[in-house]
Amino acid sequence: MAKLVPQTHPALHAIAEEVPVEDITSPRIQKILKDMRAALHSYKAAEYVGLAIAAPQIGVPLRIFLVEDLQKKKKDAAKADPPHLPSLVAINPRILRLSKKKQLMHEGCLSVKDVYGGVTRSTHATIRAYDERGTPYERGASGLLAQIFQHEVDHLDGILFVDRAEEILHPEEIATHRRAQTAV
Ligand code: ZN
């Protein structure tokens, strides 16, 4: 089974390649999506919850990310914070628009152990991408989903949040930032 690769893996520091559109429905790409989901599900770090994953995080240098909110599987879903997210697959995503309005947001990463950071991100983002059936779509997002779009597209460009972070939080400080208890 595919696993999360360590922070030093070259795929996490390189620009990933586009997936030929005609290959999206191929067994190879569908297997990669399955492996990404399995790696996201296998992520366990204290009480943190994985929300999204990019292909380079399992060592595959292709422009694919997916969002799958595993909080849904938890019993206390009704009072979830952060709020629930839609499940989506984004292949060859492009950021079409980023709001001028930005905010310092706290985030964690499946590929960076034990550290959270404050990164200035646009509060709204719109992407264009292909879904797993090869159908193009556009999607706008605000808040946490907009933050995830920016974090995941950074992964496809070989950028980790620690490369951008203006502030780094260590485990003992994380408890004061509830939204920091997720990883993408
Ligand atoms: Zn990440």
Side-chain angles (χ1 to χ4, degrees), residues 17 37 46 52 82 116 121 147 155:
E17 289 192 19
R37 284 200 181 93
Y116 280 70
R121 303 276 192 198
Q147 180 184 9
H155 271 307

Side-chain angles (χ1 to χ4, degrees), residues 100-138:
K100 283 191 190 135
K101 190 178 171 203
K102 294 183 182 200
Q103 205 178 336
L104 184 70
M105 298 176 165
H106 289 99
E107 56 194 68
C109 179
L110 303 170
S111 306
V112 181
K113 272 196 178 150
D114 297 333
V115 170
Y116 280 70
V119 182
T120 298
R121 303 276 192 198
S122 292
T123 56
H124 292 74
T126 303
I127 60 163
R128 177 183 292 156
Y130 293 89
D131 69 14
E132 60 197 301
R133 290 179 299 278
T135 306
Y137 67 92
E138 273 185 37

Side-chain angles (χ1 to χ4, degrees), residues 38-117:
L40 184 60
H41 285 232
S42 73
Y43 176 71
K44 286 190 190 79
E47 70 270 40
Y48 304 126
V49 179
L51 300 177
I53 186 170
Q57 293 182 277
I58 58 165
V60 173
L62 291 174
R63 301 189 79 81
I64 306 172
F65 75 80
L66 61 85
V67 178
E68 190 174 324
D69 191 347
L70 298 176
Q71 294 180 106
K72 281 178 193 144
K73 304 210 162 49
K74 293 202 160 181
K75 283 180 189 157
D76 56 352
K79 50 182 170 131
D81 180 26
H84 288 325
L85 296 167
S87 289
L88 62 88
V89 169
I91 297 170
N92 301 343
R94 285 209 187 153
I95 292 185
L96 296 182
R97 285 183 291 281
L98 287 175
S99 63
K100 283 191 190 135
K101 190 178 171 203
K102 294 183 182 200
Q103 205 178 336
L104 184 70
M105 298 176 165
H106 289 99
E107 56 194 68
C109 179
L110 303 170
S111 306
V112 181
K113 272 196 178 150
D114 297 333
V115 170
Y116 280 70

Side-chain angles (χ1 to χ4, degrees), residues 30-44:
Q30 297 296 313
K31 169 81 163 49
I32 290 167
L33 290 168
K34 199 175 157 196
D35 287 347
M36 289 168 66
R37 284 200 181 93
L40 184 60
H41 285 232
S42 73
Y43 176 71
K44 286 190 190 79

